[in-house]
């Protein structure tokens, strides 16, 4: 299974903010540090803010900060939220394509669904705080910042 770029970025943004301490990087700082386009980072930051996982303040002394909810958020829940409820394979056929002829009696669809849920379940007990424990936290602090 491959994560969407937005899912990967959301997790990395939260991890970076978890070790930010008293600094409050801006969305531009985060985009530069993660080497992603500002527009992509802004979209992810907006979604994380909407979910209540971070706060964003404008102006002098503003920037991004992780909320307690963000610090304790389940990684599995975050991945589910960003990846959506879709299945690994599209047996019913996308718009303009025919459905799979095996879909009514195929065991693959169920097996892949169980594997996907096992993947999420393995991430459920992990929190953002867990992801930033040693040795990762100090490594995150070494990520260059443009501020």
């Amino acid at each position: 299974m491959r994560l969407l770029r937005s899912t990967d970025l959301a997790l990395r943004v939260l991890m970076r903010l978890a070790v930010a301490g008293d600094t409050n990087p801006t969305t531009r700082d985060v985009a530069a540090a993660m080497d992603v386009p500002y527009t992509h980072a802004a979209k992810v930051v907006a979604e994380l803010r909407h979910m209540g996982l971070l706060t964003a303040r404008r102006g002098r002394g503003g920037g991004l900060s992780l909320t307690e909810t963000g610090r304790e958020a389940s990684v599995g829940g975050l991945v589910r939220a960003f990846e959506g409820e879709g299945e690994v394979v599209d047996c019913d056929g996308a718009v303009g394509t025919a459905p799979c002829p095996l879909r009514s009696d195929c065991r693959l669809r169920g097996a892949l669904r169980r594997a996907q849920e096992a993947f999420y379940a393995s991430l459920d007990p992990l929190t953002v705080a867990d992801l930033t424990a040693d040795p990762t936290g100090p490594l995150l602090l070494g990520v260059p910042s443009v501020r």
Side-chain angles (χ1 to χ4, degrees), residues 9-64:
L9 181 57
L11 292 169
R12 290 189 292 142
V13 165
L14 292 173
M15 290 170 64
R16 182 74 163 113
L17 293 177
V19 298
D22 293 337
T23 64
N24 294 74
T26 65
T27 303
R28 285 201 189 281
D29 294 337
V30 168
M34 301 296 170
D35 196 27
V36 296
Y38 169 77
T39 53
H40 192 64
K43 184 177 178 181
V44 168
V45 164
E47 182 61 27
L48 292 170
R49 184 173 175 232
H50 177 75
M51 294 168 71
L53 304 176
L54 60 80
T55 59
R57 289 188 325 235
R58 292 179 183 232
R60 187 178 182 123
L64 305 174

Side-chain angles (χ1 to χ4, degrees), residues 5-147:
R5 285 187 63 204
S6 57
T7 305
D8 174 47
L9 181 57
L11 292 169
R12 290 189 292 142
V13 165
L14 292 173
M15 290 170 64
R16 182 74 163 113
L17 293 177
V19 298
D22 293 337
T23 64
N24 294 74
T26 65
T27 303
R28 285 201 189 281
D29 294 337
V30 168
M34 301 296 170
D35 196 27
V36 296
Y38 169 77
T39 53
H40 192 64
K43 184 177 178 181
V44 168
V45 164
E47 182 61 27
L48 292 170
R49 184 173 175 232
H50 177 75
M51 294 168 71
L53 304 176
L54 60 80
T55 59
R57 289 188 325 235
R58 292 179 183 232
R60 187 178 182 123
L64 305 174
S65 59
L66 191 63
T67 65
E68 192 57 34
T69 301
R71 189 173 306 286
E72 297 304 320
S74 162
V75 174
L78 289 165
V79 173
R80 281 184 187 89
F82 274 86
E83 292 293 314
E85 297 297 320
E87 294 190 44
V88 177
V89 293
D90 182 15
C91 300
D92 296 326
V95 175
T97 63
C100 177
L102 304 175
R103 76 182 181 282
S104 62
D105 293 320
C106 182
R107 293 179 146 187
L108 179 60
R109 185 179 196 176
L112 290 173
R113 188 178 304 123
R114 288 188 300 279
Q116 181 180 26
E117 188 48 43
F119 170 75
Y120 290 139
S122 71
L123 296 175
D124 283 340
L126 292 171
T127 66
V128 172
D130 294 333
L131 295 180
T132 58
D134 286 344
T136 306
L139 289 174
L140 285 165
L141 291 172
V143 174
S145 178
V146 294
R147 215 176 210 199

